[in-house]
Amino acid sequence: QVQLVESGGGLVRAGGSLRLSCVASGRTFSRYAMGWFRQPPGKEREFVAAISWIGVSTYSTDSVKGRFTISRANGQNTTYLQMNSLKPEDTAVYYCNADASLALVRSTSAAYWGQGTQVTVSS
């Protein structure tokens, strides 16, 4: 099994920045795509961004384009979500996920999920 651990969440004012990290571990982790979902209070979990295992292909939802950047590092076992120009509507629990393809990572059926990290943006 693969374990994913998110970190980097916190409280930030509108217009500020945060960088979320997700570290994957486990014997079965190999060339997995990784991504981020978020779940605002009282709303459904929604896709945010995803990146291929080698890091050359990325996707992000329209609401974060130009503000959020997904990347990988540390032998591709770590993914980051750099969040700039944060808005109150970005407030959510952010979840890291991983699976064998971008298509899977972009869906709620991805095989592996972290426990989430809270991001709160004050207005």
Side-chain angles (χ1 to χ4, degrees):
Q1 294 292 316
V2 172
Q3 182 180 15
L4 304 176
V5 179
E6 303 98 334
S7 62
L11 176 65
V12 65
R13 296 186 183 278
S17 298
L18 286 172
R19 188 182 72 166
L20 306 183
S21 299
C22 176
V23 179
S25 62
R27 294 184 182 274
T28 60
F29 190 83
S30 56
R31 296 180 177 181
Y32 283 180
M34 301 180 74
W36 293 92
F37 273 67
R38 67 185 181 186
Q39 188 163 20
K43 297 182 179 180
E44 296 181 348
R45 192 172 298 190
E46 64 181 359
F47 171 74
V48 177
I51 187 167
S52 62
W53 75 270
I54 199 169
V56 297
S57 298
T58 62
Y59 295 86
S60 62
T61 191
D62 287 345
S63 63
V64 307
K65 281 187 170 66
R67 300 189 299 121
F68 292 10
T69 302
I70 188 169
S71 62
R72 301 186 76 153
N74 297 332
Q76 311 306 311
N77 72 316
T78 301
T79 187
Y80 302 101
L81 187 68
Q82 178 66 48
M83 305 185 295
N84 299 325
S85 301
L86 283 161
K87 304 174 181 179
E89 51 263 45
D90 295 319
T91 295
V93 177
Y94 283 71
Y95 297 91
C96 173
N97 70 357
D99 213 324
S101 73
L102 279 170
L104 289 168
V105 165
R106 293 172 66 186
S107 78
T108 57
S109 62
Y112 305 106
W113 294 84
Q115 296 301 304
T117 185
Q118 177 71 48
V119 172
T120 302
V121 184
S122 62
S123 61

